[in-house]
Amino acid sequence: MLLPTRAECSAIVFCEAAAYGASVLTTETGGNSTYVKKNMDGDRLPLSASGAEFADVLEKWVKNGDLDRLSQGAEQMYRDYNSWKAWGDHFNRVVH
């Protein structure tokens, strides 16, 4: 998923992408680093990044065969951190 957003607090779309095993390429802004971990489920580029720089990362992922690994990382992020089950488990640990 490509989301070159310029302002973001914490997009639910990152959780949704992870649930489907979609790697994410986005910007380094707001809460994006909470949901998109470099080399685990995607990457974040600086706000100053050009369209060509985004294209370079996508091309590298394809040429290096990184998409399967990033997809698996996205699913892992969803299971461990972003799913409702993970949220409920964390909430229960905090409350109890």
Side-chain angles (χ1 to χ4, degrees):
M1 180 181 81
L2 176 62
L3 184 64
T5 185
R6 296 294 175 220
E8 200 66 58
C9 292
S10 74
I12 192 74
V13 70
F14 295 134
C15 297
E16 293 168 340
Y20 288 96
S23 53
V24 175
L25 182 57
T26 189
T27 52
E28 185 69 65
T29 185
N32 293 359
S33 64
T34 301
Y35 301 97
V36 181
K37 305 291 185 190
K38 291 184 178 203
N39 298 317
M40 180 173 183
D41 62 338
D43 202 353
R44 303 177 315 272
L45 297 181
L47 285 173
S48 61
S50 67
E53 290 172 289
F54 278 90
D56 288 344
V57 171
L58 294 172
E59 182 179 30
K60 183 185 93 178
W61 286 356
V62 170
K63 284 185 177 179
N64 293 344
D66 292 332
L67 290 174
D68 284 339
R69 179 183 55 77
L70 293 170
S71 176
Q72 290 171 8
E75 290 175 356
Q76 183 81 33
M77 282 286 291
Y78 178 75
R79 280 191 309 274
D80 293 350
Y81 302 105
N82 300 331
S83 68
W84 284 114
K85 180 183 180 332
W87 182 90
D89 291 346
H90 177 75
F91 183 79
N92 281 331
R93 284 191 303 272
V94 169
V95 172
H96 297 104

